[in-house]
Amino acid sequence: MNNKGSDKILSIYWFAILVLVAGGIFMMTISFYNHPYDVREIEAEIIINNIADCLSQNGELNSELFNATGFSEDFRTNFLAKCHLNFEAGEGEEGQYYSEISFYNAGDLNSLAYEITGGNKNLAASCSIQNEKEYKREAICVEKTFFSLNGENLYLIKILSAIGKAEKNVR
Amino acid sequence: MVFGKRGSLLMENLVFIILNLIFLTLLVLFLLRQGEGAVVLEQAYAKEIALLVDSAKPGTTMLLNIEKGKKLAEKNNVDVEDIIKIDSNSVIVKLSEKGGYSYSFFNDVDVSAYPDTTDPQNIKDYVIKINNYQNE
């Protein structure tokens, strides 16, 4: 084959490669922008921060958590309102938030001293399977723990938050 | 026009380079345009504002730059005042006449959102103001 002929074949190959690369980039871009931004993990972390701020200030537990006999039942019942959280869903819709707060005495981490829950409890079921890829459309769960004092008593507080909102965050 | 052997070689290479450049330019333009679509921007703004509101305490005032969104809204005949709306606990962002994206927030606060009219001829920002808790 002469030089000119081989040059032409080379440029055909070159453009074939360009078309392939362009096709790949096109597919990747379309696929990237077709997927919504998943912000559920950040939301779960913000809920935990807000709850932690509500339960404990400067390392001391909120005095509203206690009454004369121990942990307050009123706080448990009105937890969402007291912590300024609105977990309500629209009419006919399922709740998209769930939070579970567990208090343990630092001396005995196996026995639960007090528990508060709020939101749609069904979302908690997704927490154990969320790391499996096929369940990525389920709720996202985040758990954080911290210590806080009530007078002389030290408590370990575990906050679990689950966010649904799969339709808006996963495709 | 008559080219010599050298001339025709130069011409072929020139055409080859120009075609490559056109191809790359089209590819870059396509990539840039993808990230600036109304659907993508509406979603990004709505989620960003919802997360900001969730993290904020009453008394907070935030300025959000919406220049990109404003350009798109003007192109799609949407008023600047209608770009961001707060409806009970949802942020609604609208950058096209038929579109719109809403995202809910959980912080039980009263929020106001309006364009920053410090320079009415050149509105660049939106003011997001966290007034107070709904249930004091």
Side-chain angles (χ1 to χ4, degrees):
Chain A
M1 200 181 287
N2 62 23
N3 234 354
K4 211 171 180 180
S6 66
D7 275 357
K8 268 187 186 165
I9 290 171
L10 197 67
S11 27
I12 291 167
Y13 273 125
W14 175 243
F15 279 104
I17 288 166
L18 280 189
V19 168
L20 275 177
V21 170
I25 292 175
F26 178 80
M27 297 278 280
M28 281 190 285
T29 316
I30 293 289
S31 146
F32 178 78
Y33 283 111
N34 265 344
H35 283 80
Y37 301 115
D38 193 350
V39 295
R40 293 177 298 166
E41 200 172 326
I42 306 171
E43 270 188 289
E45 282 180 14
I46 298 172
I47 289 189
I48 291 175
N49 286 344
N50 286 11
I51 292 174
D53 284 347
C54 167
L55 297 179
S56 168
Q57 289 97 33
N58 303 320
E60 281 280 338
L61 282 171
N62 185 345
S63 58
E64 285 187 67
L65 273 164
F66 301 93
N67 57 22
T69 53
F71 280 105
S72 161
E73 202 53 45
D74 177 56
F75 193 93
R76 194 204 305 263
T77 318
N78 301 308
F79 148 68
L80 292 176
K82 283 189 185 288
C83 288
H84 307 291
L85 297 170
N86 180 0
F87 284 2
E88 277 171 31
E91 211 174 298
E93 288 171 27
E94 216 178 317
Q96 299 298 323
Y97 303 101
Y98 174 71
S99 279
E100 188 179 291
I101 304 132
S102 313
F103 291 74
Y104 298 89
N105 271 312
D108 181 12
L109 295 177
N110 292 319
S111 67
L112 188 67
Y114 183 58
E115 190 180 48
I116 306 170
T117 58
N120 179 3
K121 209 164 189 168
N122 294 336
L123 298 175
S126 313
C127 295
S128 53
I129 54 169
Q130 65 168 340
N131 290 330
E132 293 169 42
K133 208 181 170 186
E134 59 187 297
Y135 297 112
K136 68 174 185 179
R137 279 193 63 83
E138 303 297 325
I140 285 277
C141 304
V142 177
E143 188 181 75
K144 287 198 174 170
T145 51
F146 66 97
F147 284 95
S148 191
L149 282 164
N150 174 41
E152 298 276 286
N153 300 321
L154 180 66
Y155 289 96
L156 170 82
I157 296 126
K158 203 180 269 184
I159 306 175
L160 170 84
S161 270
I163 313 279
K165 291 185 170 182
E167 266 176 40
K168 297 261 179 186
N169 290 280
V170 197
R171 178 158 288 161
Chain B
M1 203 183 284
V2 179
F3 291 106
K5 206 174 178 183
R6 273 190 202 165
S8 80
L9 201 67
L10 186 72
M11 198 63 186
E12 275 174 23
N13 283 331
L14 206 65
V15 170
F16 184 71
I17 289 167
I18 289 169
L19 282 174
N20 276 314
L21 282 177
I22 291 171
F23 176 84
L24 284 172
T25 313
L26 288 175
L27 203 65
V28 169
L29 281 176
F30 164 75
L31 287 175
L32 289 177
R33 281 194 67 124
Q34 281 298 307
E36 287 177 355
V39 180
V40 176
L41 270 184
E42 278 172 353
Q43 189 199 153
Y45 281 138
K47 286 184 176 173
E48 196 176 340
I49 295 165
L51 293 178
L52 284 170
V53 170
D54 280 337
S55 326
K57 297 259 186 274
T60 312
T61 302
M62 295 170 271
L63 281 182
L64 183 77
N65 187 289
I66 52 141
E67 274 176 287
K68 264 188 186 179
K70 195 189 139 204
K71 267 184 207 164
L72 206 61
E74 280 170 350
K75 210 168 110 187
N76 293 328
N77 300 319
V78 176
D79 287 338
V80 186
E81 288 80 20
D82 297 331
I83 295 178
I84 299 168
K85 295 268 177 215
I86 309 287
D87 176 34
S88 68
N89 67 330
S90 287
V91 183
I92 302 159
V93 179
K94 192 177 160 81
L95 296 176
S96 62
E97 273 181 303
K98 286 180 186 170
Y101 187 92
S102 82
Y103 200 75
S104 62
F105 52 86
F106 56 78
N107 202 1
D108 201 13
V109 285
D110 174 44
V111 187
S112 321
Y114 50 89
D116 178 23
T117 49
T118 318
D119 179 6
Q121 302 305 314
N122 187 21
I123 295 169
K124 285 181 182 172
D125 302 315
Y126 236 81
V127 180
I128 315 286
K129 197 172 174 188
I130 314 293
N131 302 313
N132 43 32
Y133 288 121
Q134 302 272 21
N135 301 309
E136 281 287 10

